[in-house]
Amino acid sequence: MTDHDTETRLRDYLHTKAQVVPDHATPPEPVASVHRPRRTWPVLAAAASMAAVLALAVPYLGGLGSDDPPVSAGGGLSSLKVPYILTEGPGSRTLHDGTTTIPLGNGPARDVVARLATGWLVVTAKTDAGKRVTLGHAVLTKDGRLRPVGPSNAMQNAILSPDRKQVAILGQIAGGSFKIEVIDLATGNKTADLPLPSLVALHAWSKHGIWYDDDTAANPQLWQPGEQPREVEIPGFTSITAPGTTDRMLIRTQRDGCVKVMTMDESGELTTLRENCDSTSDAGLSPDGKVLVIPELQVAVNVDSGEQTPLPDLSNQSVGLVFEDDRTVLAMATLAVSESQPTPTTPIRTLEAHQLLKRCDVLTGTCEKVFERLPGTDDPTIGIGQP
């Protein structure tokens, strides 16, 4: 899988999520990117450059081909254990979470990141008089109110603290520099910040702190708010994800092409619990850290025993896996995207997508279809968030 393939599929996904974008909209000012191989983190910057109006919520983009095994009919959208937003047309969006529905209309809330104790963390997009799009984040309360949090010009998606009481967001500040801000979600107050001279990749927030990196060092930086960041030696480091509910982390290294489930002790020493060096695409780790899902190899691996469970083909470019719980993972496929050009009577670009959302049991390897949206229909499109 080449970087071009990654960017193409990511662009298609962002176009799909944007739904409708004013043809004359002005994107935010582009920012300098960090040139490191196979980096998919500057998604908001990519979205901005395409005048897309929302950020990613880390659904899984597994392209499903004609040779893939069929999936059984599932319980439908009502069976989902994660929050999601349905877009039924221009100006008509609704957040769903279990039996709760929050009409969003054509307001600034565009995508749901995760469920919180008091509501949901969402991505917002606002367009000023000059048609310039600004991306940010907000807490959507259960009565439908939006409370902005963090910088109004977010450069990446937010990452939640392990206890989900705080959020870290990267924003751009005057003079072209950047800053990671830590926000208390209960009050909206900033509790810490870290000024940075250049754009960085904000990866994850584990119990050890916030992980980020840029091209000024070969290794990632680990920042515990209130302390100074420190470099952690991980040869060939590419990316890290941390469920937050366990001390286990999923680390990808470029040099050996491996995905590794690792832990870190109090002294900072890393220990590898399980690794696989046969995949070049992304992988996912269950919330309890016990199951490693490798879509390219079509397997779910027991981290402790090494036992493998075959999975259907989910291999065509993953951007992330959304686990409903320790046992079930959601796979979102965007099979095709088409675009209609503006006309004198319809001055917007409309996007048609074929979406397929399915749920897989990582212990049995069985999958079921939860939702499908066919192009050329009036069916809604869906965007899913973290539970």
Side-chain angles (χ1 to χ4, degrees):
M1 183 65 62
T2 66
D3 285 353
H4 176 73
D5 294 329
T6 298
E7 294 171 1
T8 299
R9 285 185 169 86
L10 194 54
R11 184 178 298 109
D12 286 347
Y13 167 65
L14 286 165
H15 274 302
T16 302
K17 297 280 286 180
Q19 306 303 328
V20 288
V21 180
D23 188 54
H24 53 281
T26 303
E29 291 295 332
V31 296
S33 62
V34 179
H35 300 290
R36 181 166 297 190
R38 292 192 51 77
R39 182 73 78 218
T40 58
W41 57 266
V43 178
L44 290 190
S49 67
M50 296 183 297
V53 293
L54 49 122
L56 75 157
V58 288
Y60 173 74
L61 302 182
L64 303 179
S66 58
D67 296 332
D68 296 317
V71 294
S72 62
L77 291 177
S78 62
S79 69
L80 285 176
K81 302 175 185 177
V82 299
Y84 61 95
I85 288 179
L86 288 180
T87 300
E88 294 149 344
S92 181
R93 288 184 297 274
T94 306
L95 180 139
H96 299 260
D97 194 356
T99 59
T100 300
T101 60
I102 306 290
L104 302 175
N106 195 32
R110 302 301 173 115
D111 203 8
V112 56
V113 178
R115 181 189 300 132
L116 304 173
T118 57
W120 303 267
L121 182 64
V122 298
V123 176
T124 60
K126 295 183 178 180
T127 305
D128 62 20
K131 305 302 179 183
R132 187 174 303 279
V133 178
T134 301
L135 300 169
H137 295 83
V139 172
L140 174 66
T141 60
K142 295 179 181 179
D143 60 2
R145 293 180 295 112
L146 280 174
R147 176 166 54 82
V149 294
S152 60
N153 54 347
M155 304 309 302
Q156 292 181 43
N157 204 36
I159 57 172
L160 289 165
S161 62
D163 61 7
R164 295 207 171 192
K165 294 182 179 180
Q166 299 182 92
V167 64
I169 304 173
L170 178 69
Q172 188 171 15
I173 57 179
S177 56
F178 302 86
K179 181 168 60 175
I180 300 174
E181 294 188 10
V182 176
I183 310 297
D184 181 276
L185 287 168
T187 64
N189 295 331
K190 181 173 67 175
T191 60
D193 61 40
L194 179 66
L196 299 163
S198 60
L199 185 63
V200 301
L202 193 59
H203 291 282
W205 194 337
S206 70
K207 74 172 188 177
H208 302 286
I210 296 169
W211 296 81
Y212 70 92
D213 81 315
D214 60 19
D215 269 357
T216 62
N219 296 307
Q221 300 288 318
L222 179 60
W223 176 49
Q224 186 66 261
E227 302 177 5
Q228 289 298 311
R230 62 184 178 89
E231 185 174 331
V232 179
E233 185 176 357
I234 303 178
F237 174 84
T238 301
S239 64
I240 179 172
T241 58
T245 48
T246 174
D247 62 350
R248 297 182 177 188
M249 303 173 293
L250 181 60
I251 294 174
R252 172 168 286 284
T253 53
Q254 172 88 21
R255 184 175 302 171
D256 51 13
C258 297
V259 287
K260 305 176 182 182
V261 180
M262 309 184 79
T263 59
M264 175 184 282
D265 62 23
E266 296 303 323
S267 69
E269 183 177 351
L270 290 164
T271 300
T272 299
L273 304 179
R274 181 71 51 187
E275 72 176 354
N276 183 284
C277 300
D278 298 323
S279 168
T280 58
S281 67
D282 296 315
L285 187 64
S286 62
D288 60 5
K290 294 182 178 180
V291 179
L292 171 63
V293 176
I294 309 176
E296 185 178 3
L297 302 182
Q298 304 178 42
V299 295
V301 183
N302 185 301
V303 173
D304 297 318
S305 69
E307 180 181 356
Q308 298 187 2
T309 300
L311 292 174
D313 184 8
L314 308 174
S315 61
N316 287 353
Q317 183 47 46
S318 66
V319 173
L321 292 166
V322 177
F323 283 86
E324 290 186 294
D325 50 38
D326 295 334
R327 180 164 179 166
T328 59
V329 64
L330 294 172
M332 174 79 129
T334 298
L335 306 182
V337 179
S338 60
E339 181 177 352
S340 66
Q341 295 301 314
T343 67
T345 57
T346 309
I348 57 174
R349 300 194 302 268
T350 58
L351 303 174
E352 287 287 330
H354 182 185
Q355 290 183 311
L356 178 61
L357 175 65
K358 64 183 184 177
R359 173 189 290 118
C360 294
D361 187 316
V362 298
L363 299 185
T364 65
T366 58
C367 296
E368 61 182 14
K369 182 172 70 175
V370 177
F371 170 84
E372 185 171 17
R373 193 270 184 188
L374 297 172
T377 69
D378 293 329
D379 295 338
T381 55
I382 189 171
I384 57 177
Q386 299 285 344

